[in-house]
Amino acid sequence: MKLRFKNILPAAAIALSLTGLSSCTGDLDVENINPQQVSKFDQNAIFNKVYANMVLTGQTGPDGNRDIQDVDEGASNMIRQIWNANELTTDEAECTWGDQGLPEYNHNTWGDSHPMLQALYYRLMFGVTVSNFFLTQTSSSTDATTHVERAEVRFMRALYYYYMMDLYGNPPMATTMDNPKPKQATRLEAFTFVESELKAVLGENANDNADVLSDAPVSYGRASKAAANLLLARIYINAKVYTGTERWNDAKTYAQKVLGDKSFSLLTSDSNGYTAYQKLFMGDNDTNGAQNEIILPAIHDGITTQTWAGCLFIIASTTNGDMLKQFSTGTTENWGGNRCRLQFTQQFFPNNDAAQDSLPPIVAKKAGDDRALFYTWKRKPSIEDESSFGSGYAYVKFLNVHSDGSLVHHTQFVDTDFPMLRMAEAYLIYAEADARINGGSCTPDGVAKLNALRTRAHAKTLTSADLDVLCSEWSREFGFEAMRRTTLIRFNKYGGQSAYKWQWEGGEENGKSFDAHYNIFAIPASDMNANSENLKQNPGY
């Protein structure tokens, strides 16, 4: 079954939202979503909604008939808010806009009433609830196709709970539809649940092997065993942060399973003037070869998934009208706002010697690395004026242009799929786990994995790599892909330390360290108030 996201829910099912998690609605006006009032369970529609929740924010798009009330619909988009939370709070990006919540992100000063963290929290729990609804309604099915779909939904629920665990630490935990005020899980309990579910859908749990993922994706955009193996590798490489116990060997083992999966491979072929790396983030990345590396995409289409967020947000917020006079991003939207902090630029140009007044391909050539996709025209690498988009380099990684020269589906809304999971991550997890197992430095095996990515990027290969090199390589490979905060925390370069600083960290130009409690976001105050008997706020808030 191919995923189709345009108007995916019938009228009777539109109401599905956060039933069974009433505490998670907090003070929000969420649509009436009592499943008992849904006259007919549309299995295909709800199955699609589980995936579409990553991109779509309502039933009509790009706005109107939203899933969650009292939140700007575009701001309730999962990708947009995961990006903000994991990029603006780090050494990679800063936003010029004054929207409530953005200055707090830029300066690491958020609290429990942060509107964007609240919107993200409800979006993730909405995904959990839709998943629970599907699983409840199909619990007695003996149909083989349904069991594959159930495995995918269980994977997606684990993905949503992974983000809840990573971002909020100790989330409310509900796996059924009959608990209006779910109890709170510890981070360890959330980790154990995610781990158990992923192993179950891989067929590794002896007592639970009915719902098993396909070896290869049933169709592009759907989860397979590679997705579960990669998400397991991700939680294991971060296990010391999440549980206090190292799982380096497990991280390496599951990364290797991904690397050995014949259904996916690194994209290494340049074409039509675009490098293989660029093609991963273009409007035809579902057909240009990138689909063989992207293990789980959040599907976008300019016609059928219109949203003011997702990849449109990333493209439009990192470009402005002056930039589009020199090249096309494939969309008429150009908002300005998000640009690079100095430390991100220095991952490629440690001596601040990037090609000046140049377009991204020229800058990348000067860097000797295809990933250095900076726009430097009339800009300086340092953010001297926080209110000016022209202060600091722009990073032009995502485009709505088709690499084969074909027309985009829409000149405003984008076709570019967001890679939630891609195979390159397995290479870096393997290399990092290898280094951590071997005293902080990669063995030749680990260096080879690192060099596979550098070779693809036409960058100089390395003969050795320690943890500092690896931390930088994570930024070079996954810059602006909403992963940096998690990486910095794992490398002890985030809250609670003062050895590493970045520009405007803590609100000071040269950087000011901030407390370790910011390594976990606050449970939104609205949900604390709605479920005060079961929820305890994270320390420090």
Side-chain angles (χ1 to χ4, degrees), residues 333-375:
E333 295 296 311
N334 53 94
W335 311 334
N338 292 316
R339 76 293 204 209
C340 306
R341 301 203 197 221
L342 177 64
Q343 283 68 29
F344 181 44
T345 306
Q346 289 176 334
Q347 300 289 6
F348 300 93
F349 298 102
N351 298 317
N352 298 328
D353 57 349
Q356 293 301 305
D357 295 329
S358 297
L359 302 183
I362 297 173
V363 178
K365 185 175 182 180
K366 173 71 180 295
D369 194 319
D370 295 341
R371 302 168 295 187
L373 296 169
F374 299 101
Y375 176 94

Side-chain angles (χ1 to χ4, degrees), residues 347-532:
Q347 300 289 6
F348 300 93
F349 298 102
N351 298 317
N352 298 328
D353 57 349
Q356 293 301 305
D357 295 329
S358 297
L359 302 183
I362 297 173
V363 178
K365 185 175 182 180
K366 173 71 180 295
D369 194 319
D370 295 341
R371 302 168 295 187
L373 296 169
F374 299 101
Y375 176 94
T376 67
W377 201 271
K378 296 183 180 179
R379 292 168 176 259
K380 296 180 180 179
S382 179
I383 298 177
E384 297 173 353
D385 180 358
E386 287 192 278
S387 65
S388 172
F389 176 65
S391 186
Y393 290 159
Y395 191 52
V396 188
K397 177 170 177 172
F398 288 82
L399 296 172
N400 188 41
V401 176
H402 288 192
S403 63
D404 64 1
S406 62
L407 295 177
V408 298
H409 298 167
H410 199 284
T411 57
Q412 184 178 33
F413 299 104
V414 305
D415 301 331
T416 311
D417 295 341
F418 185 83
M420 303 297 295
L421 296 167
R422 61 184 178 93
M423 197 170 194
E425 185 178 354
Y427 283 81
L428 275 173
I429 289 175
Y430 187 101
E432 182 184 332
D434 179 69
R436 292 188 183 277
I437 291 167
N438 293 284
S441 295
C442 286
T443 66
D445 185 25
V447 173
K449 300 298 188 294
L450 195 63
N451 281 335
L453 301 181
R454 294 184 63 82
T455 298
R456 187 260 293 278
H458 300 102
K460 183 179 179 180
T461 58
L462 304 175
T463 57
S464 64
D466 60 16
L467 292 177
D468 284 336
V469 169
L470 285 160
C471 188
S472 293
E473 198 65 20
W474 276 105
S475 188
R476 285 187 282 265
E477 180 66 28
F478 285 97
F480 277 41
E481 287 186 60
M483 294 180 67
R484 190 56 173 168
R485 170 190 152 273
T486 305
T487 302
L488 288 177
I489 292 171
R490 185 171 71 251
F491 281 87
N492 194 30
K493 293 188 176 185
Y494 202 65
Q497 58 81 41
S498 59
Y500 177 65
K501 294 186 177 71
W502 57 85
Q503 193 170 43
W504 297 108
E505 172 193 2
E508 293 187 1
E509 184 172 1
N510 295 323
K512 180 179 70 174
S513 58
F514 55 94
D515 192 77
H517 83 266
Y518 287 108
N519 290 353
I520 300 177
F521 292 116
I523 304 293
S526 54
D527 206 34
M528 291 294 301
N529 293 335
N531 192 11
S532 58

Side-chain angles (χ1 to χ4, degrees), residues 127-149:
V128 168
T129 303
V130 178
S131 300
N132 285 340
F133 182 57
F134 181 92
L135 294 170
T136 298
Q137 294 293 315
T138 58
S139 60
S140 60
S141 176
T142 59
D143 176 65
T145 298
T146 297
H147 277 292
V148 172
E149 292 182 356

Side-chain angles (χ1 to χ4, degrees), residues 200-229:
V201 297
L202 285 168
E204 295 184 11
N205 286 352
N207 297 324
D208 185 6
N209 58 8
D211 303 330
V212 179
L213 292 168
S214 298
D215 291 331
V218 175
S219 64
Y220 176 75
R222 293 176 62 175
S224 63
K225 287 184 178 179
N229 281 322

